[in-house]
Amino acid sequence: MKVKVITSLSFMLFVCAISLGQMSEYNYKIELKGVTNDWHRIVLPNSVFEELDTSLNDIRIFGITAENDTIEVPYLLKIKSEKIKNTTIRFRKINESFNASGHFFTFEIPSETPVNIIKLDFEQQNFDWRVQLDGSQDNKEWFTISKDYRILSINNNLSSYQFSRISFPDSKYRYYRVFIETKDKPILNSATIDFKETKEADFQNYEISKFQSSRNSATKKTEIEITLKERIAVSLIKLNVEDSFDYYRPITIQYLTDSVETEKGWKSNYQTLSTNTLSSIEESSFRFKSRLLQKLKIIIYDGDNQPLAINSVETKGYMHELIGRFTQPAEFYLVYGNDKPMKANYDIAKFANNIPEKSTELQLMQPQLIEKTATNSMGPLFKNKIWLWLMMGLIILILGYFSLKMIQK
């Protein structure tokens, strides 16, 4: 009987050590308030990103029950990015004509379907044309949808750039006529008509603490260095260009990964986020996959052109939130910060469609440091978790052996 009691107590201590050890593996915790239902959402504050791993895998939700047991709450990470649905519309080209002013292309859509994009592909590799788009229901009376729209293509040994997409407000016409103001005959290889539905992202604006722009005459490049107030998840950069003349410049956006001290001083290592073209006929904002960073470098390849006047840059990021399932009463904590994060694998990720679209947002208290248990100072043997597990397993086997012996007697 005595051995049975010892075995039971040892096993309970073993389970408690495992469960309590889960939270102690992390560095910070934030108490969560307002748990009343099964499903709740947690909007991650900016301060959390400062301590997170770039993978975002070192996030957990733990609960401490009234019996002092530790439970883990399954969650789904949702990045509130834009949702785009693109539908290609069936059509046919019914007319191609010209007059002294330019050339016309007429398309017919057999069904009453809304459209907002027409993409044109021409055989010409270099052009700069002005376009007017009209719509009609009977191919007789025409209404102007877009006027003085610019399409452009540049292809040479130095660069390749094309913008031949006509974007316009949602329209429902049976006929669409594209007029191109040029004396040269545009040779249209193909065209597509689309309806693009966009649900805008939930963005947060981030404060910039340092902005520095410099011109390298030798390489003919402009370099802009940006330092954010804190390390944060960035997904959009917008350049505010003051110049009103036409321009198109290759551009590279990089972020600082680390710095290494060498004999000649500190060397900064950057990794490319996006490579694109900064053009006067397109928006000067660039989107990319959300990335944790604090310092950015924007390289604009000016060539023989004068540098652009860019006095400010906007940085934004998608809102990040957790959707958690709370099934037991407890004191709950958002826990984060781990040097060796393991990606959580929960069942709810496979049944995301069953998660309610609307859930109550939880209140977050102030972040706190997690106190580490005294087991960390027991010596090198127990710093490795494998040794700890082996030792605990051996103790259980020995106690189990003696228990069986007592039962046999």
Side-chain angles (χ1 to χ4, degrees):
M1 183 67 183
K2 186 177 179 180
V3 176
K4 286 185 178 180
V5 173
I6 294 173
T7 305
S8 300
L9 289 172
S10 300
F11 184 73
M12 288 174 65
L13 289 170
F14 173 67
V15 172
C16 289
I18 294 173
S19 59
L20 290 174
Q22 289 177 317
M23 186 176 290
S24 65
E25 293 174 359
Y26 297 82
N27 297 325
Y28 299 91
K29 65 179 180 180
I30 300 177
E31 188 176 0
L32 304 174
K33 294 289 187 180
V35 177
T36 55
N37 303 313
D38 287 347
W39 294 96
H40 288 283
R41 65 188 183 97
I42 303 167
V43 178
L44 295 182
N46 293 346
S47 59
V48 170
F49 293 104
E50 186 73 30
E51 306 298 336
L52 283 180
D53 182 76
T54 54
S55 65
L56 303 184
N57 289 334
D58 53 333
I59 303 176
R60 296 292 186 272
I61 304 173
F62 287 126
I64 306 297
T65 66
E67 293 78 20
N68 207 31
D69 292 331
T70 302
I71 58 175
E72 187 168 344
V73 175
Y75 71 85
L76 192 66
L77 173 63
K78 296 185 70 175
I79 301 176
K80 309 288 282 185
S81 59
E82 61 274 355
K83 306 297 181 184
I84 298 175
K85 181 182 178 182
N86 198 80
T87 305
T88 300
I89 309 301
R90 185 170 60 90
F91 74 97
R92 66 189 184 100
K93 186 175 76 171
I94 62 171
N95 193 17
E96 182 176 341
S97 58
F98 68 94
N99 58 21
S101 300
H103 293 257
F104 298 85
F105 298 93
T106 306
F107 308 105
E108 179 187 12
I109 297 177
S111 59
E112 290 190 6
T113 306
V115 300
N116 52 22
I117 293 177
I118 296 178
K119 300 175 184 176
L120 305 171
D121 179 37
F122 296 97
E123 186 173 310
Q124 286 91 338
Q125 295 295 308
N126 292 279
F127 58 81
D128 187 357
W129 296 328
R130 298 288 175 173
V131 173
Q132 178 172 317
L133 177 66
D134 300 316
S136 174
Q137 297 293 1
D138 55 8
N139 202 15
K140 295 178 181 179
E141 184 180 12
W142 292 91
F143 303 91
T144 300
I145 301 172
S146 180
K147 189 177 181 179
D148 201 30
Y149 198 96
R150 188 180 181 189
I151 58 176
L152 174 70
S153 178
I154 301 172
N155 196 334
N156 52 43
N157 294 331
L158 299 176
S159 62
S160 178
Y161 173 74
Q162 185 174 104
F163 180 77
S164 57
R165 180 185 70 251
I166 306 173
S167 300
F168 49 93
D170 298 355
S171 301
K172 271 189 178 183
Y173 290 101
R174 183 169 182 180
Y175 300 95
Y176 290 88
R177 184 176 66 189
V178 177
F179 169 68
I180 301 177
E181 187 179 354
T182 177
K183 293 182 180 180
D184 300 325
K185 181 183 178 180
I187 302 175
L188 184 64
N189 290 330
S190 62
T192 57
I193 299 179
D194 298 335
F195 179 56
K196 182 180 179 181
E197 300 174 87
T198 304
K199 181 181 178 183
E200 289 300 326
D202 292 338
F203 279 113
Q204 297 184 85
N205 295 318
Y206 300 140
E207 185 178 347
I208 295 175
S209 61
K210 185 179 179 181
F211 175 90
Q212 184 177 351
S213 178
S214 61
R215 163 75 173 175
N216 190 324
S217 300
T219 59
K220 300 180 180 181
K221 295 186 295 187
T222 298
E223 291 190 2
I224 300 174
E225 293 188 1
I226 299 168
T227 303
L228 301 176
K229 186 178 179 181
E230 55 192 344
R231 183 172 177 261
I232 202 70
V234 179
S235 46
L236 182 145
I237 292 175
K238 182 179 180 181
L239 306 180
N240 296 319
V241 184
E242 295 187 356
D243 298 304
S244 57
F245 55 79
D246 291 332
Y247 58 85
Y248 86 100
R249 311 281 171 88
I251 182 174
T252 300
I253 303 173
Q254 301 176 334
Y255 74 100
L256 180 67
T257 55
D258 56 31
S259 297
V260 180
E261 188 175 10
T262 65
E263 295 179 355
K264 297 181 179 180
W266 285 92
K267 179 183 178 182
S268 299
N269 296 319
Y270 285 86
Q271 187 170 329
T272 300
L273 273 175
S274 174
T275 300
N276 219 306
T277 301
L278 179 63
S279 169
S280 56
I281 63 174
E282 292 188 79
E283 289 187 1
S284 58
S285 59
F286 304 94
R287 304 188 184 196
F288 40 84
K289 187 178 179 182
S290 186
R291 177 71 63 176
L292 286 179
L293 56 88
Q294 187 171 9
K295 191 170 183 179
L296 286 157
K297 180 188 288 185
I298 302 171
I299 305 171
I300 303 172
Y301 301 89
D302 299 314
D304 296 327
N305 304 291
Q306 71 179 70
L308 298 173
I310 303 174
N311 294 328
S312 65
V313 176
E314 298 177 30
T315 56
K316 299 182 180 182
Y318 298 130
M319 186 178 293
H320 291 59
E321 67 177 22
L322 311 179
I323 306 297
R325 185 182 64 200
F326 300 79
T327 56
Q328 294 178 249
E331 292 183 1
F332 293 100
Y333 297 87
L334 175 67
V335 179
Y336 59 96
N338 190 318
D339 296 335
K340 298 178 181 179
M342 296 290 291
K343 185 176 181 180
N345 186 14
Y346 301 121
D347 290 338
I348 61 172
K350 300 176 179 63
F351 303 96
N353 294 332
N354 297 333
I355 298 176
E357 292 185 5
K358 294 184 178 180
S359 55
T360 308
E361 181 180 343
L362 294 181
Q363 180 185 359
L364 280 72
M365 308 308 288
Q366 291 298 319
Q368 298 177 358
L369 278 170
I370 296 177
E371 296 182 2
K372 303 301 180 182
T373 58
T375 54
N376 292 338
S377 59
M378 289 183 66
L381 177 63
F382 295 99
K383 286 184 178 179
N384 191 324
K385 294 179 183 178
I386 297 176
W387 285 106
L388 181 61
W389 280 74
L390 289 173
M391 291 295 294
M392 295 298 292
L394 182 61
I395 292 171
I396 291 173
L397 288 174
I398 293 172
L399 291 173
Y401 172 77
F402 284 109
S403 298
L404 289 173
K405 286 290 186 180
M406 289 294 294
I407 292 170
Q408 288 176 356
K409 290 181 180 180

